[in-house]
Amino acid sequence: MAMKKYLITIDGGTTNTRVALWKENKEFLSAVKSEVGVKDTARDGNNARLKKAVKSMLEEILERSGVTYEEVWAVCACGMLTSNVGLWEVPHLTAPAGLEDFAQGVKKILIQDICPLPIFFIPGMKNFTGEVSLDNLEKMDIMRGEETETAALMELCPQGETLYVLPGSHTKFVTVDRNLKMTGCLTSLAGELLALLTRDSILADAVKREFVTGDYNREMLLAGARQTWETGLSRAAFLTRIVGQFVTASQPSCASFLLGAVMAADIQAVKTSRALTVTEDMKVVIAGKEPLRGALKELFMEDGTFKEVTVFQGDEDVLLSGYGMCVIAKKAVLPSLPRP
């Protein structure tokens, strides 16, 4: 009998899906990506395209690595793959939820037209259970996939009572208490909004339809942030055009101003939203890639609410979601496996 020493993780989002191969000790080996996501299920009315893509990626990564299914002890999936437009719907857990709770919420499902092994679907999390109304709407938030990224950060840079920041198209803020339970999450459209303003608004001329690349202009970043805090995001965003016409035509300067304006609104939301319970004693850990994580640190420090703000200094090639699935899988899957 072959030694079962590998783990496969599948992370599915709206537009892309990624499959990764790991050793049992959570050492990353290889990954493949497909530009197929749950958007295709929503458009097609069925998940046939998504299932075909996942099957193909699983076979590709095994062939590329010279590994067989007989050597794999688990296949795990998270993110939008656990939604109603994914591969198998798994209900959200309700906050607060720790790693043991996520492990217990895993659903083991055999989908034979994808792979011969059952897939362990890891649930997402919602902020509360019960009826959502306009009165409590702002307290509700959900995540599918970011819980595994948070699980990875909790192991790779444990901080106790922490606000973890995961910038992206949809930036997520996740709070973890001293008992190492995720107590809530908050989502913003920062990345999407920045993309729309950069490419499809009156501001496109000032920023030359390009994001900040490389180093941002710190002075302009903070200026954009302060403007949002003083007059609101809509006004601050428009002032990018004023900057471009009357202050400086430099693309990096204009793009930095706009970046600061957009991200400053998120920090304001963290402090005022009822979706999170934050304290000044919480440590802030920012993941993601540059320049976003560095810029966010600058803005958190400029705001001054939180006393300790750091960036996750791990290798940018580490797939946090996959690593977090490895962490949860060891709690959910290994105890149930037969002893050799």
Side-chain angles (χ1 to χ4, degrees), residues 24-25 106-107 112 126 131 151 154 162 166 172-173 176 212 218-219 242 246 249 256 285 322 331:
E24 189 176 341
N25 64 356
V106 165
K107 300 298 181 186
Q112 292 182 327
K126 60 183 178 181
E131 183 179 353
M154 289 168 65
T162 308
L166 303 164
K172 278 282 197 284
F173 299 85
V176 173
V212 175
R218 182 176 183 273
E219 179 185 6
I242 301 299
F246 297 101
S256 295
V285 175
K331 295 179 179 293

Side-chain angles (χ1 to χ4, degrees), residues 58 74 89 96 101 156 178 202 225 231 247-248 256 277 307 329 331:
L58 287 170
E89 186 173 9
D101 299 306
L156 293 168
R178 63 189 62 189
I202 190 66
T231 59
V247 180
T248 173
S256 295
T277 302
K307 297 173 183 176
K331 295 179 179 293

Side-chain angles (χ1 to χ4, degrees), residues 53-317:
V54 171
K55 181 178 188 295
S56 175
M57 284 188 288
L58 287 170
E59 292 172 349
E60 179 183 346
I61 204 164
L62 289 174
E63 182 178 357
R64 175 196 297 179
S65 306
V67 174
T68 66
Y69 276 118
E70 286 73 24
E71 299 172 276
V72 175
W73 60 269
V75 178
C76 295
C78 76
M80 292 302 290
L81 297 178
T82 71
S83 72
N84 64 320
V85 287
L87 297 179
W88 193 273
E89 186 173 9
V90 181
H92 292 96
L93 298 186
T94 301
L99 299 186
E100 294 288 349
D101 299 306
F102 284 103
Q104 292 174 12
V106 165
K107 300 298 181 186
K108 178 181 177 182
I109 307 296
L110 178 62
I111 307 177
Q112 292 182 327
D113 52 349
I114 293 181
C115 73
L117 299 179
I119 300 174
F120 293 83
F121 289 91
I122 297 172
M125 190 187 83
K126 60 183 178 181
N127 282 3
F128 65 87
T129 298
E131 183 179 353
V132 179
S133 67
L134 292 180
D135 292 330
N136 64 9
L137 177 67
E138 214 286 313
K139 294 174 63 176
M140 178 55 87
D141 209 294
I142 54 176
M143 60 180 176
R144 289 191 186 273
E146 292 86 3
E147 71 288 333
T148 58
E149 294 180 75
T150 304
L153 291 170
M154 289 168 65
E155 178 166 306
L156 293 168
C157 53
Q159 300 287 338
E161 194 176 14
T162 308
L163 170 67
Y164 289 103
V165 184
L166 303 164
S169 296
H170 296 167
T171 297
K172 278 282 197 284
F173 299 85
V174 184
T175 47
V176 173
D177 66 15
R178 63 189 62 189
N179 298 316
L180 300 182
K181 288 185 177 286
M182 300 179 206
T183 57
C185 60
L186 180 152
T187 310
S188 87
L189 288 175
E192 277 196 276
L193 181 59
L194 186 63
L196 289 169
L197 291 173
T198 298
R199 295 168 177 163
D200 298 302
S201 79
I202 190 66
L203 308 180
D205 178 64
V207 299
K208 306 298 186 286
R209 291 181 168 79
E210 293 289 338
F211 302 109
V212 175
T213 56
D215 295 332
Y216 49 82
N217 181 315
R218 182 176 183 273
E219 179 185 6
M220 299 304 288
L221 178 87
L222 296 181
R226 295 188 193 108
Q227 198 62 57
T228 289
W229 292 332
E230 290 173 12
T231 59
L233 175 55
S234 179
R235 170 62 177 164
F238 178 77
L239 287 176
T240 305
R241 179 166 169 79
I242 301 299
V243 168
Q245 292 201 357
F246 297 101
V247 180
T248 173
S250 161
Q251 188 278 337
S253 294
C254 292
S256 295
F257 185 94
L258 180 59
L259 178 64
V262 171
M263 294 198 304
D266 282 1
I267 294 176
Q268 195 168 38
V270 166
K271 294 164 55 180
T272 60
S273 172
R274 292 184 293 160
L276 298 177
T277 302
V278 297
T279 68
E280 295 179 4
D281 294 328
M282 272 187 164
K283 297 178 180 179
V284 178
V285 175
I286 306 169
K289 297 181 179 181
E290 297 294 358
L292 286 182
R293 68 183 184 189
L296 273 167
K297 181 181 179 182
E298 293 274 11
L299 299 188
F300 269 105
M301 296 298 290
E302 178 71 11
D303 170 75
T305 299
F306 300 94
K307 297 173 183 176
E308 186 173 336
V309 182
T310 60
V311 296
F312 171 58
Q313 296 287 0
D315 188 339
E316 287 192 356
D317 290 334

